[in-house]
Amino acid sequence: MTQRVELAAVMDRLAVDELITDYARAVDDAEWASYEGLFVPEGRADYRSAGGIEGRAAEVAGWLAESLTLFGMRQHLIVNRRLRFGQLEQDLGDTARVEADYVNPMRFAKGEAAGGVPDFVAGGRYAFGLVRTYDGWRFTEVVVEEKWRRLSERPLS
């Protein structure tokens, strides 16, 4: 591998990492237009394993916007990212797959006013499908595989 190819691979890894971070921030900060912009136009998300829906990114963003109003605080921690580049039309590196574990603590909105309402914490694994576009890396799909969840009787703070 030449230094130029190695540098391009590092740059792609950083861009994919930034996209995943942008995803977490968009969901945590309720930035639904930004969320939709992370996907290709036909991109899909699947939250069924966590009790949600599967569909086009715009449809899922609407569902998230409504359902996540239950939580006044959200914080996705996405770790242990495993990235693999693939091929599209004979060009190596135009697609990617990422599997990453997550822990997602959330505070119920009522708990902020009432104090002491249980916190909700979930964990699992994301599967991200990505493609390189003229605008940079974008998601073709996001699939959530929730593995566990719990309600804490005492607040995290």
Side-chain angles (χ1 to χ4, degrees), residues 23-80:
Y23 165 86
R25 301 264 328 234
V27 173
D28 292 344
D29 296 342
E31 295 174 353
W32 305 118
S34 296
Y35 175 92
E36 289 181 52
L38 301 173
F39 289 81
V40 295
E42 65 278 5
R44 303 185 71 78
D46 184 349
Y47 291 85
R48 290 178 293 182
S49 76
I53 67 168
E54 186 275 337
R56 294 181 81 111
E59 176 187 7
V60 173
W63 172 80
L64 287 168
E66 183 178 324
S67 63
L68 291 180
T69 59
L70 292 171
F71 303 101
M73 183 282 299
R74 300 179 291 276
Q75 185 177 30
H76 279 77
L77 307 170
I78 303 177
V79 299
N80 300 335

Side-chain angles (χ1 to χ4, degrees), residues 139-152:
F139 294 122
T140 57
E141 69 174 347
V142 173
V143 178
V144 175
E145 180 191 346
E146 185 177 273
K147 294 185 176 189
W148 60 270
R149 64 172 64 179
R150 73 173 168 85
L151 289 171
S152 173

